[in-house]
Amino acid sequence: MRSFALILIALAASSTSAFDIWPRSASKCPSVWSDVASELQSDFAGCGADAHGAIRAPFHDCINNGCDGSLILTDECSRSENAGLSAICKKLKGWSDKYNVTAADMIQFAAATAISACPLGPRVQALVGRKDSSKAAPVGSVPSSRGTLISILGAFGAKGFSADDVVALMGTHSVALQFNDDPSQAGKSLDSTPSTYDNTFYKETKDGTAPYSLQSDVLLSNSSQTAKTWSSFADDADAWSSAFTGAWNRFAVIGSDASKLQDCSSLIPSSSASKKRQAFNARFTKMMSAKFRV
């Protein structure tokens, strides 16, 4: 089974508010995470291959049994549905062992750090205190980039996510390169700005101008269920960034009681471009596109 270049999960379709996932634990962030943050920020600088892999890894860990570290504690990372993750899985496991922290926490903390390493990347929460599991997820539990829209939305729907929610986090493909979906075109990016965490991906996928597009993304950009939301994110980077942040924060605590987790978000730096600048860039792009009818 060929898998998503980045498996994306979005805002849960429930009555739980974003505030409800904020940790209630009075404990401070363990000091070890300051050392972890320093090393990861250095490794992910420039939003390169390690950062891309770190952003992708959480979804392959959490989509099945919850965020439990099994992706790097079992044989999951070697499966075809997780193709392309071997290198980052090895690094994540090494960091987890080096700093004596859970694999589940390392996967999520690394992803939050990697997002901030990419220009325009939204700043997401970094909570710690998850428990690891050595029980592997069922084979084939990661949705395929060549699956039907029904199967893809169904997989996420089973976890409580709506079709619009899925669209929100598909924006992570903005910093993705594909190697396994079509090996003959290995290395092609999913939009023209693969080192910038922006909403260019939405416009180029819908217009058919992206260097490469996954079948799943094309389906989502054109389906009557999701096309309106897809287009809205193409037009409004600020709206997408807000939706993405809430989505990521809720997904990252699947399988854990968020009220018992510790908040290390202060260790995640802001991206090199502010949210205000991101919104300005989106408005400018829209204006120029209209002017020149791009």
Side-chain angles (χ1 to χ4, degrees), residues 3 21 40 80 83 107 109 119 124 141 147 155 168 186 189 200 216-217 230 239 270-272 277 283 293:
S3 63
I21 68 167
L40 296 190
S80 60
I107 290 172
F109 190 89
V124 298
S141 56
S189 59
T200 302
S216 53
D217 289 336
W230 192 283
S270 296
S271 179
S272 58
R277 178 59 183 272
R283 291 193 296 272
R293 297 183 179 180

Side-chain angles (χ1 to χ4, degrees), residues 34-97:
S34 293
D35 296 329
V36 174
S38 179
E39 180 166 352
L40 296 190
Q41 286 171 31
S42 176
D43 189 83
F44 297 151
C47 191
D50 280 351
H52 294 183
I55 293 170
R56 181 185 173 200
F59 303 107
H60 289 252
D61 186 46
C62 304
I63 186 62
N64 29 57
N65 291 344
C67 309
D68 61 3
S70 62
L71 176 69
I72 61 177
L73 295 175
T74 68
D75 68 344
E76 288 181 35
C77 207
S78 64
R79 298 174 182 174
S80 60
E81 62 200 79
N82 297 319
L85 286 173
S86 295
I88 194 62
C89 282
K90 183 177 180 180
K91 281 201 166 187
L92 291 168
K93 181 62 166 61
W95 286 324
S96 174
D97 292 342

Side-chain angles (χ1 to χ4, degrees), residues 62 73 78 93 108 128 176 184 192 202-203 259:
C62 304
L73 295 175
S78 64
K93 181 62 166 61
Q108 297 299 328
V128 300
S184 70
S192 60
Y202 288 102
K203 176 177 173 53
S259 69

